[in-house]
Amino acid sequence: SPMVGLFIGLLSTSLMQSSSLTTSITVGLVAGGALTLHNAVPIIMGANIGTTITNTLVSLGHIRQREEFKRAYACSLVHDLFNIMTVIILFPLQYYFGYLEWAAAHVTSIFASSGGMVFTSPLKVILEPVASAAADLMGQRGVLILIVSLIALFLAMQQMVKYMKILIMSRAEVIFEKMLFRTPYHSLLFGMILTALVQSSSVTTSLMVPLAGAGMLSLQQVFPYTLGANIGTTITAIMASLATGNPLSISVAFAHLMFNVSGILIFWWIPFVPVKMAEWMGKVTAERRYFA
């Protein structure tokens, strides 16, 4: 069932905090014949929603300051709402007409023989040996690793909020305001390039939450940045799939890209829809913080 696939993608990505991992597993299942492209596409759509939960967790670091929390929570939700609304619009089109399959197949036919390359995230290079060593110390016990990982995640978020505030106090807002977020197109490009390099939209969008909470960035500036991050997170998977030369793998990667591109084409011209809704939910949550 495509609906089950949607929620599998959502749940697995929420737990693993990585849409790239969910996408990679899905690509492998399709390439191996265990999953059809038709059923893989909803999993990719669900992964786009699941990856946004990290932003919400980061925003909880501001929960003690009401005004700060209102801005931070609204910033975290604008990414969620964009993906949820895009799924609401595109899921019926995919279910009844196979829209994303058709779009992905069309693009795949253009690029299938172009070859590709594999790019390794600098974050993964740094963290992989540390994570492996820590897992070995804990005897590869899954439950213990999960508990320690969650503690590390929240400590990292706490420190990120702390040091992003220090960064703001050192007048870094001038760089953001005059260079990186000068126009919506600058924001879109910055989000796309940074996410393509880091290979994690969860990380790059979460970085903006403390900045928005401090009042340094507005939702209108953050929104196009998150759209760029959605594009950036698909680029490395596309390059890797092109290197395999497997048409089905390439189609899954391009389906992910076409989902995000379609969402941008819809909401780029009506940004006030997710932005205003996020602002309203941020206001409600600031008044009743248990709602978060």
Side-chain angles (χ1 to χ4, degrees):
S1 167
M3 184 62 75
V4 173
L6 179 73
F7 281 93
I8 286 173
L10 197 162
L11 178 62
S12 60
T13 308
S14 299
L15 292 173
M16 296 186 292
Q17 301 281 298
S18 174
S19 60
S20 299
L21 185 54
T22 304
T23 306
S24 299
I25 293 171
T26 306
V27 167
L29 290 171
V30 171
L35 196 65
T36 64
L37 178 61
H38 181 73
N39 283 331
V41 172
I43 295 175
I44 299 297
M45 297 169 81
N48 259 52
I49 300 175
T51 194
T52 62
I53 195 170
T54 313
N55 306 337
T56 310
L57 291 172
V58 171
S59 71
L60 297 178
H62 299 267
I63 201 163
R64 285 178 294 182
Q65 289 83 30
R66 192 179 297 272
E67 279 301 309
E68 221 176 90
F69 183 54
K70 180 172 77 173
R71 292 190 295 265
Y73 195 70
C75 173
S76 73
L77 285 180
V78 77
H79 192 201
D80 304 49
L81 290 169
F82 165 75
N83 283 313
I84 291 168
M85 289 177 181
T86 304
V87 167
I88 289 171
I89 293 169
L90 295 184
F91 185 83
L93 292 176
Q94 166 59 24
Y95 185 83
Y96 290 109
F97 306 108
Y99 161 68
L100 289 174
E101 286 176 69
W102 169 82
H106 183 70
V107 179
T108 298
S109 66
I110 299 171
F111 289 96
S113 60
S114 64
M117 54 187 277
V118 178
F119 173 73
T120 303
S121 166
L123 276 182
K124 290 179 182 176
V125 171
I126 295 167
L127 294 176
E128 186 71 36
V130 180
S132 298
D136 290 336
L137 283 173
M138 290 179 275
Q140 296 292 341
R141 289 191 287 272
V143 175
L144 180 60
I145 291 171
L146 177 62
I147 293 169
V148 172
S149 298
L150 288 173
I151 293 170
L153 177 69
F154 282 101
L155 286 175
M157 289 174 180
Q158 185 185 46
Q159 292 302 308
M160 187 174 76
V161 170
K162 175 184 173 182
Y163 286 105
M164 288 300 275
K165 284 183 180 178
I166 294 171
L167 178 68
I168 293 162
M169 298 307 289
S170 64
R171 305 295 295 173
E173 66 266 26
V174 176
I175 298 171
F176 282 95
E177 189 70 38
K178 293 189 176 180
M179 293 174 62
L180 302 178
F181 291 89
R182 188 170 58 189
T183 68
Y185 297 101
H186 281 81
S187 301
L188 180 80
L189 189 62
F190 176 50
M192 185 169 68
I193 293 172
L194 185 62
T195 307
L197 291 173
V198 176
Q199 289 192 23
S200 174
S201 59
S202 298
V203 171
T204 53
T205 54
S206 295
L207 283 173
M208 296 301 113
V209 173
L211 299 177
M216 178 178 156
L217 293 174
S218 67
L219 272 185
Q220 286 75 13
Q221 290 173 305
V222 171
F223 179 62
Y225 170 86
T226 62
L227 301 187
N230 270 22
I231 296 291
T233 197
T234 68
I235 290 173
T236 47
I238 289 170
M239 290 193 299
S241 69
L242 288 171
T244 67
N246 186 313
L248 285 174
S249 299
I250 297 168
S251 293
V252 174
F254 274 118
H256 194 192
L257 174 66
M258 296 313 297
F259 170 81
N260 288 308
V261 169
S262 299
I264 291 171
L265 290 175
I266 295 167
F267 289 104
W268 183 264
W269 313 108
I270 49 171
F272 56 87
V273 176
V275 168
K276 290 294 181 185
M277 191 174 292
E279 286 177 344
W280 174 76
M281 291 180 76
K283 184 179 178 182
V284 170
T285 306
E287 292 169 0
R288 302 173 183 83
R289 278 173 280 189
Y290 62 83
F291 178 70

